[in-house]
Amino acid sequence: MIKLVSLSKHFGKTVVLDGIDLTIEKGEIVVIIGPSGTGKSTLLRCINFLEQPTSGTMTVGDLTVDVNRATRADILAMRRQTAFVFQNYALFANKTALQNIAERLLVVDKWPKEKAYQRAREILEQIGLPDKADAYPASMSGGQQQRVGIGRAMAAGAEVILFDEPTSSLDPEWVEEVLGLMKQLASEHQTMMVVTHEMSFARDVADRVIFIDGGRIVEQGPPSEMFQNPKDPRTKDFLKKILATNPTK
Amino acid sequence: MDVLNVEYMLGLVPVLLRYLPLTLQLAGIGMLFALILACLFAVVRVLRIPVLNQLTIVFISFFRGTPLLVQLFLFYYGLPQLFSALTVIDGITATIMGLTMHFSAYMAESIRAAIVGVDRSQTEAALSIGMTNGQLMRRIVLPQATRVALPTLMNYFIDMIKATSLAFTLGVTELMGATQKEAAGSFLYFEAFIVAAIMYWIVVELLSKLQNYLETRLNKAYNR
């Protein structure tokens, strides 16, 4: 379970997150939508401590931290509970697909080599790239790289996987395979928070859709309700614009 | 033009070869210390550690901004005059000190640039899976920075090997000093110095081969 209590993030005088309260159940798939620059990515980055939140408390699994009192050990522990999938994949360029996935098991969890690589191979099977074990990121397509990026996040065995616009950098031809893998993960009840503009994914896969604007949660609900009867005028306006360019088919 | 005295040249080869090890030692030890110092400077600069950062900037500026020969004379002739305890510094030590400081100043900047050049998103990815800063440096940043910095560092090493020839001005009999003595005895200056030149050349060529090999290995991950 994830619980955020009045989580805020200021960059200087700019308020990017303005007191977010949010509870996510284990196995829940939450899709976060909203206009650009409204704090969606920052929210995910704060949960992973890639950004230091300004105030609030966060609970992930059995770990609760007051962000202002978070020690270095708290931050590491929180990062280990939360895996991150990056928009630009961010694979380790000096490591093969297999090593990218095994890295966390070897270095952070201190698994013995054999066990770590065996687990990494299983994950390569799951993400449909068993023949790419020894391929370096530079030799893979964007879609394959992002699947390895997701594989790396899966290896963590994390409480939640945070997806930050995972298909936004992809050529259109690779989007489906990445969304397909995410659907597969969702069907295995992996807790997921996904920032995306893929409205069809939100409609088909999400348990809950959250609309964020101006650093606040404006409206949230099951996708059917959010897409068919949005209540807040800002949600209506945003959905009208985005569905015009990115229909749910 | 007189004919080249080939016999003299061939006879000189084994004589001069005895001094090659000292030349290589000066460069090898100088390179080792210069690398260590350069890495420390680079980390100080990247992390902008207060006070140390400013001191490093001044140090780098001085040792890049003045000729190596001037620095060598400062260490060998100058410092002992100021501090009598430093009269124990012999020519070899002064040469190594000079080479270390001079080349560390240059290398620090290329190492710093290579570290800064590693894709920021990979740093975030490493942190996101819970790596510590040390693990991040050791496993992700430094291996990639090494690849970027290697060609320039090898160039500096080659430059340093040639710069050891300045040690003869401090009375050190390395390859250049020995050649100078032999030439002064035989008056066959061209023969003597061309033999020395070829020896430097061969050493540098061998190093270039090593550089190519290392670059190919380190580039393995980046071939499409």
Side-chain angles (χ1 to χ4, degrees):
Chain A
M1 192 192 75
I2 299 169
K3 191 171 180 193
L4 310 178
V5 180
S6 51
L7 190 73
S8 295
K9 172 67 183 172
H10 303 180
F11 287 109
K13 283 186 183 147
T14 315
V15 180
V16 183
L17 293 179
D18 190 9
I20 299 278
D21 293 301
L22 182 61
T23 305
I24 295 172
E25 297 304 326
K26 197 167 174 57
E28 198 178 1
I29 317 298
V30 173
V31 169
I32 301 167
I33 60 173
S36 300
T38 51
K40 303 178 308 266
S41 290
T42 306
L43 174 60
L44 294 193
R45 292 170 61 83
C46 281
I47 297 173
N48 193 235
F49 267 106
L50 287 176
E51 304 287 355
Q52 167 73 43
T54 309
S55 60
T57 62
M58 299 197 286
T59 304
V60 175
D62 48 13
L63 183 70
T64 299
V65 292
D66 175 342
V67 299
N68 284 317
R69 298 210 189 102
T71 62
R72 193 175 289 215
D74 289 335
I75 292 174
L76 279 181
M78 191 59 101
R79 283 179 176 156
R80 287 165 189 187
Q81 298 261 31
T82 54
F84 207 97
V85 175
F86 294 84
Q87 180 176 347
N88 61 354
Y89 337 130
L91 296 185
F92 305 130
N94 58 329
K95 299 194 179 289
T96 63
L98 187 73
Q99 290 167 337
N100 263 280
I101 295 171
E103 185 70 5
R104 129 118 217 196
L105 302 173
L106 286 170
V107 179
V108 177
D109 303 317
K110 313 270 189 224
W111 285 21
K113 254 190 184 161
E114 219 167 286
K115 193 176 160 206
Y117 284 121
Q118 197 196 329
R119 176 77 188 114
R121 273 182 211 288
E122 288 168 17
I123 291 171
L124 275 176
E125 291 277 348
Q126 280 175 274
I127 63 175
L129 294 171
D131 53 332
K132 290 287 177 189
D134 299 323
Y136 285 96
S139 69
M140 290 191 275
S141 74
Q144 290 169 339
Q145 288 190 57
Q146 190 58 297
R147 279 148 74 192
V148 174
I150 294 172
R152 178 173 64 187
M154 288 161 67
E159 195 74 24
V160 58
I161 301 184
L162 309 164
F163 294 81
D164 187 11
E165 302 204 23
T167 56
S168 296
S169 304
L170 290 172
D171 288 335
E173 55 183 316
W174 308 126
V175 170
E176 274 315 310
E177 67 182 54
V178 170
L179 291 179
L181 176 57
M182 290 167 64
K183 284 176 192 167
Q184 181 189 320
L185 272 179
S187 70
E188 292 160 11
H189 305 293
Q190 166 70 53
T191 316
M192 293 160 65
M193 286 178 78
V194 185
V195 170
T196 187
H197 295 295
E198 294 288 339
M199 291 302 135
S200 57
F201 179 84
R203 192 199 54 194
D204 298 343
V205 184
D207 297 314
R208 181 165 28 142
V209 175
I210 296 177
F211 176 70
I212 291 188
D213 194 12
R216 291 166 171 273
I217 295 177
V218 175
E219 189 170 353
Q220 54 181 314
S224 52
E225 206 171 291
M226 288 289 282
F227 286 116
Q228 275 146 34
N229 316 296
K231 294 184 183 62
D232 193 280
R234 280 178 290 175
T235 319
K236 283 183 194 165
D237 187 45
F238 172 78
L239 283 172
K240 202 170 83 189
K241 278 183 193 145
I242 194 140
L243 290 174
T245 52
N246 196 342
T248 55
K249 283 170 221 153
Chain B
M1 193 185 99
D2 291 329
V3 181
L4 271 188
N5 190 337
V6 176
E7 205 178 321
Y8 171 74
M9 285 167 66
L10 291 176
L12 201 54
V13 171
V15 178
L16 293 187
L17 270 182
R18 289 207 306 266
Y19 297 92
L20 187 60
L22 180 57
T23 290
L24 296 180
Q25 274 167 29
L26 289 172
I29 298 172
M31 187 67 182
L32 180 70
F33 286 146
L35 264 179
I36 295 171
L37 208 53
C39 285
L40 292 177
F41 290 158
V43 169
V44 166
R45 297 275 284 115
V46 170
L47 300 180
R48 298 207 180 88
I49 299 172
V51 186
L52 284 179
N53 190 27
Q54 284 78 0
L55 288 176
T56 302
I57 290 172
V58 173
F59 181 98
I60 291 175
S61 167
F62 178 78
F63 281 95
R64 281 212 300 191
T66 53
L68 176 57
L69 190 57
V70 173
Q71 294 162 13
L72 290 177
F73 277 30
L74 266 178
F75 285 127
Y76 187 62
Y77 298 111
L79 282 183
Q81 279 192 337
L82 275 188
F83 311 99
S84 54
L86 293 177
T87 41
V88 291
I89 294 181
D90 61 4
I92 291 180
T93 316
T95 304
I96 291 174
M97 283 170 60
L99 291 175
T100 299
M101 300 203 186
H102 186 79
F103 282 92
S104 68
Y106 281 93
M107 294 186 336
E109 290 298 281
S110 48
I111 293 174
R112 182 178 73 93
I115 290 176
V116 172
V118 173
D119 182 12
R120 168 102 190 115
S121 68
Q122 289 184 46
T123 302
E124 292 200 334
L127 292 177
S128 84
I129 59 176
M131 278 198 201
T132 61
N133 284 326
Q135 291 168 335
L136 158 71
M137 270 305 198
R138 243 186 0 264
R139 303 196 49 103
I140 308 299
V141 175
L142 289 181
Q144 296 186 63
T146 305
R147 167 179 163 267
V148 175
L150 183 77
T152 24
L153 294 182
M154 285 300 273
N155 268 344
Y156 286 131
F157 188 37
I158 285 169
D159 218 11
M160 192 187 284
I161 289 173
K162 293 180 292 181
T164 56
S165 60
L166 293 175
F168 101 99
T169 62
L170 309 187
V172 179
T173 313
E174 36 64 70
L175 184 52
M176 174 67 188
T179 312
Q180 169 72 18
K181 279 181 189 160
E182 290 295 324
S186 65
F187 295 109
L188 293 171
Y189 285 98
F190 185 83
E191 279 87 344
F193 283 112
I194 197 73
V195 170
I198 290 171
M199 284 187 178
Y200 281 113
W201 191 8
I202 290 174
V203 169
V204 169
E205 269 306 295
L206 289 176
L207 270 174
S208 305
K209 291 271 180 298
L210 174 69
Q211 180 180 349
N212 286 340
Y213 168 76
L214 289 176
E215 280 180 32
T216 316
R217 275 198 53 169
L218 289 173
N219 279 333
K220 204 176 65 180
Y222 300 85
N223 299 326
R224 281 168 184 277

